[in-house]
Structure formats: structure tokens, C-alpha cells
Amino acid sequence: MSDTNWVAIVTGSSRGIGRGIALALAARGWRIVINYHSNSSAAEQTRQDVIEAGGDGLLVQADIADIDSLNRLVDRTLSHFGRVDMLANNAGIAPRQRLDILDTNPESYDEVMAVNLRGPFFLTQRVANEMIRLVKEGEIERPKVVNIGSISAYTSSTSRAEYCVSKAGVGMMTALWADRLAEYGINVYEIRPGIIATDLTAVVKEKYDPLILEQGLTPIRRWGLPEDIGKAVAAIADDLLPFSTGEVINVDGGFHLHRL
Ligand code: NAP
């Protein structure tokens, strides 16, 4: 594509995987809507890094769990840039407390589902309608949606069941939007990260270090990095998978392999 004014909304790009995605796209000249929830200084750092990498960044505070808030995110994107070429549904949370499935409570379940599944579902709905309009108006070509799922979509962790259920839901969400949007040339992908070194996993670093580095929990014996996910999103942004939609891309060091 000759156009180089592409715009991506990357939810939760103040830190971690979202920041890795933002930087990979910025290195390709993309303009990034850097969404965050509460950490404005981390978001500002991402913006500076995005500019340094060769892109441009707009900071938008918005709570993905809140429908008015996510509509404001899209409104700000369109009023500032006038277009959206990619939505990366990345923002996500773990339960505040790891509680056994026999003890967890509706408040934790609702909170995790609202951020990890309900928010991305309705954000995709709103953005998809805007993308369809922009495609019909000839303003954009072949926009894309990327959902950040997890190995927890199929791996049982009984001390954070609500997280697993939310990520299994992201799997079906990917299939549904891929099916519905294909006729408009909008491909939908899911990236399933394995164990990635971010603030989210900092609490389990000591537990996972020996499992990964010594015992080979993942065939590739290292922690994943936000850049690993950024590279996969960059391949999608470069339109290198044009005949694939609804596809799950495992970026997990081989965790998903069944091994004997
Ligand atoms: P992280 O380091 O904790 O960063 C979370 C990001 O999401 C931050 O930018 C945070 O914003 C934002 N966020 C949290 N709640 C939000 C809300 N309600 N509205 C808007 N933004 C919100 O997490 P991460 O490890 O990068 O995870 C990113 C995604 O990858 C999540 O969907 C997670 O489930 C998935 N994932 C992670 C791993 C892993 O091993 N790390 C593995 C598989 C999947 P603030 O900075 O403002 O708080």
C-alpha cells in the first residue's frame, strides 16, 4: 500500500505488551493512539518512545471496562486523525487476588470479564462500524483487528479461573468478528502470548524462572518479551497474512505443543 498515514489504536499501551506493539508499529511509521487507564507518566514515556522510533502518538485515557469511555477513545481517534487502520485489543488484567475457583467471587469475575472481554467486544463493534464506513468512503484499505488472547484460553489455572474464562471468550470473539468482517476486507487475528516479562507477571517471576529456564516449561527456554508480540503484530500490519483471518498466532516459545 502506498499510503503511510496508518493509525492504530493500541489499548493498554502505556506499559508491557501494549507498549511493545506500539513501538513495533511506530518503527514502521504508524501513528499510535496510546490508550491507558491510570498510569499517565508511563503513557507519556510510550509516546516519547513512539516518536523516537519514527511514529507519532496521541495519549487517550479511557477505561476499557466502561462503554462511554471506550466510545470517547474512538471519538478522540477520529477527531484527531480522521481514520483508524488497526485496532489492537491488548488491555487486560489479572484478578486482583489469585483465589481458588472454589472461593472466588462475582466481583472479581465481573471486573476481569469487563476489561478482558466485554470491553474489547464492544470496542471492536464500534471500531468495526467506523472501519466499514471508512472503507466504503475510500479513506482506508484493508484495516485489521488484532486481539491479544492468552495461553490461558486453553490452559487451566484454577487460582485465576475468571482470567481463563475471559481469554477463552476472546478466542470466540476472534472467530465471530473474523467471520462478520471478512466481506469488508477486514481481517481479524488473535495473538496468544505465552509467559511474557511484564508488570503482570512480575509477581510470579520467582516461581516461573526455574520452570522456564531450567525445567523447559517452554521448549524455547526464555521469557517472552513485549517485542516478541510487537513483531507478530508488525507482520499483520505489513499485511503479510492476507488470506488468513480468525487465525490464532501462538507467540509462546512453543508452550502450546503437546510433548512426550
Ligand atoms: P501489564 O504490563 O499489566 O499492562 C497492562 C496495560 O493495560 C497497561 O497499559 C494498563 O494501563 C492497561 N489497562 C489495564 N486496565 C485497563 C482498563 N480498564 N482500561 C484501559 N487500559 C487498561 O499487562 P501485560 O502483561 O502487558 O498484558 C497485556 C495483555 O496481554 C493483556 O490482555 C494480558 O492478558 C495479555 N497477556 C499477557 C501475558 C503475560 O505473560 N504478560 C500472557 C498472555 C496474555 P495503566 O498503565 O494505565 O495501568
Side-chain angles (χ1 to χ4, degrees):
M1 288 186 279
S2 53
D3 187 353
T4 54
N5 291 315
W6 303 304
V7 173
I9 298 174
V10 184
T11 66
S13 47
S14 44
R15 295 182 285 122
I17 291 173
R19 177 182 279 175
I21 294 169
L23 295 184
L25 294 176
R28 284 161 169 71
W30 282 62
R31 298 177 292 170
I32 315 295
V33 179
I34 300 161
N35 160 248
Y36 66 100
H37 181 239
S38 47
N39 197 334
S40 57
S41 57
E44 177 54 31
Q45 184 62 53
T46 300
R47 196 175 73 86
Q48 286 173 25
D49 293 347
V50 156
I51 292 167
E52 208 167 294
D56 190 11
L58 171 72
L59 298 187
V60 183
Q61 189 285 330
D63 180 357
I64 294 305
D66 180 79
I67 302 294
D68 289 341
S69 194
L70 62 83
N71 276 316
R72 197 168 44 73
L73 170 63
V74 182
D75 292 341
R76 277 286 286 138
T77 303
L78 295 175
S79 64
H80 191 83
F81 289 125
R83 62 190 287 169
V84 55
D85 301 85
M86 177 185 277
L87 168 64
N89 281 307
N90 165 77
I93 55 169
R96 283 172 197 264
Q97 254 187 302
R98 287 185 173 227
L99 293 173
D100 186 90
I101 191 170
L102 288 169
D103 302 318
T104 195
N105 54 64
E107 291 73 26
S108 178
Y109 184 96
D110 289 347
E111 182 178 38
V112 170
M113 293 296 273
V115 178
N116 293 5
L117 186 56
R118 180 177 179 269
F121 182 93
F122 286 104
L123 179 58
T124 304
Q125 183 190 61
R126 170 72 199 281
V127 171
N129 278 300
E130 300 293 351
M131 284 173 166
I132 290 166
R133 176 182 61 77
L134 289 162
V135 167
K136 284 182 178 164
E137 291 171 359
E139 296 290 330
I140 61 172
E141 271 180 89
R142 304 192 48 74
K144 292 157 183 72
V145 176
V146 181
N147 299 321
I148 303 302
S150 171
I151 54 175
S152 296
Y154 61 87
T155 304
S156 164
S157 296
T158 54
S159 61
R160 48 191 185 112
E162 53 273 60
Y163 182 81
C164 298
V165 172
S166 73
K167 292 298 181 178
V170 169
M172 178 46 82
M173 185 177 95
T174 301
L176 287 162
W177 285 118
D179 182 10
R180 187 64 185 87
L181 298 179
E183 71 180 272
Y184 303 103
I186 305 172
N187 287 7
V188 181
Y189 304 88
E190 176 176 344
I191 292 179
R192 264 186 201 163
I195 305 163
I196 313 294
T198 68
D199 294 341
L200 192 83
T201 49
V203 285
V204 288
K205 183 171 176 353
E206 277 181 23
K207 178 182 164 193
Y208 284 155
D209 264 349
L211 292 175
I212 295 169
L213 305 174
E214 290 155 30
Q215 295 169 41
L217 176 67
T218 53
I220 299 175
R221 292 190 180 200
R222 69 164 172 86
W223 282 75
L225 299 170
E227 304 82 287
D228 292 314
I229 314 301
K231 284 176 181 165
V233 176
I236 291 167
D238 287 353
D239 210 20
L240 295 180
L241 300 167
F243 198 50
S244 303
T245 193
E247 195 61 32
V248 174
I249 302 168
N250 294 291
V251 184
D252 64 355
F255 177 90
H256 67 282
L257 297 169
H258 296 278
R259 291 184 286 162
L260 264 178

